[in-house]
Amino acid sequence: MKKLILTGVALLALTACTDKMAFVDNSKLLNDYQEKKDIEAKLKGQISAYERKRDSISMAFQTEARAFDAQAKTLPQNVAQKKYNELMQKSQILQQHLQQEEQKIQMESQTQMDSLLSKVKKNIKEYGKQKGYTFILGANDGGSVLYGTEKKDITKEVTEYLNNQYKGKK
């Protein structure tokens, strides 16, 4: 009985040793992935356009507010109060509009990044199958892989694979 158990453990150990395992540095992979760079560049463009629009609207409103401030001294109090209320209402509407636009950009960014991560996982799975890996682990600052020898780090190869896949779909 002891021999059977020892044989089973030895067989299990030998089988486990034949598993092909590697890891990928998640942050390095994503930082070097061209599609992520392209998404970030596109989003930077949208953010810059939003910031220019926000600044332009802000400057126009400030000009209007200064003009009202100069004019308010000559107006009757009830008229000045009415115009002041209109100006405050306009300010709130502008702020709401800008907030909605900012949230739209944030949501688009999150959606694109979620889609990108899903695509990366799918492509890593395909890569692993093609190369005969049993496991491809993800290393990150959170510590899913605390140590791995350099020869088991396939980040560069997977990044090249992902970038080639991305180029092929462009």
Side-chain angles (χ1 to χ4, degrees):
M1 182 69 169
K2 263 186 178 178
K3 286 184 180 183
L4 185 60
I5 292 174
L6 286 174
T7 305
V9 170
L11 186 59
L12 183 61
L14 285 175
T15 306
C17 291
T18 62
D19 282 347
K20 191 171 176 184
M21 291 179 33
F23 70 94
V24 172
D25 183 332
N26 295 332
S27 57
K28 186 175 180 184
L29 173 79
L30 288 175
N31 287 337
D32 294 341
Y33 185 31
Q34 188 60 46
E35 186 173 3
K36 180 181 182 260
K37 291 176 183 179
D38 291 348
I39 289 171
E40 286 176 338
K42 179 184 168 196
L43 290 171
K44 276 184 183 177
Q46 288 178 341
I47 290 168
S48 291
Y50 163 76
E51 288 172 343
R52 285 191 303 275
K53 181 178 179 179
R54 179 196 63 205
D55 293 346
S56 174
I57 288 171
S58 178
M59 285 176 32
F61 183 77
Q62 287 174 0
T63 301
E64 188 177 345
R66 282 192 293 273
F68 166 74
D69 202 28
Q71 185 186 39
K73 297 171 186 163
T74 63
L75 296 174
Q77 182 154 355
N78 63 339
V79 175
Q81 185 64 44
K82 182 180 177 190
K83 286 196 175 218
Y84 174 78
N85 290 342
E86 289 172 0
L87 199 58
M88 288 296 102
Q89 186 176 14
K90 183 176 182 178
S91 171
Q92 288 176 344
I93 290 169
L94 289 173
Q95 285 177 346
Q96 287 174 349
H97 174 71
L98 291 172
Q99 228 174 11
Q100 288 172 347
E101 211 167 310
E102 189 174 335
Q103 286 174 344
K104 180 181 170 190
I105 292 171
Q106 287 174 345
M107 286 177 61
E108 182 177 343
S109 171
Q110 188 63 47
T111 301
Q112 288 187 7
M113 286 307 189
D114 289 347
S115 174
L116 177 80
L117 290 175
S118 177
K119 191 183 304 182
V120 165
K121 287 178 186 177
K122 178 182 166 224
N123 283 329
I124 289 175
K125 187 176 182 178
E126 288 174 17
Y127 178 85
K129 286 179 181 178
Q130 286 177 11
K131 300 295 181 177
Y133 284 98
T134 306
F135 297 99
I136 296 179
L137 306 171
N140 58 28
D141 292 336
S144 59
V145 173
L146 298 175
Y147 171 76
T149 63
E150 284 186 34
K151 69 179 186 178
K152 293 292 186 178
D153 183 353
I154 60 170
T155 305
K156 184 178 178 185
E157 294 88 355
V158 172
T159 303
E160 289 172 0
Y161 175 80
L162 290 174
N163 283 331
N164 288 334
Q165 293 288 98
Y166 177 60
K167 282 180 193 173
K169 293 179 181 177
K170 261 187 152 179

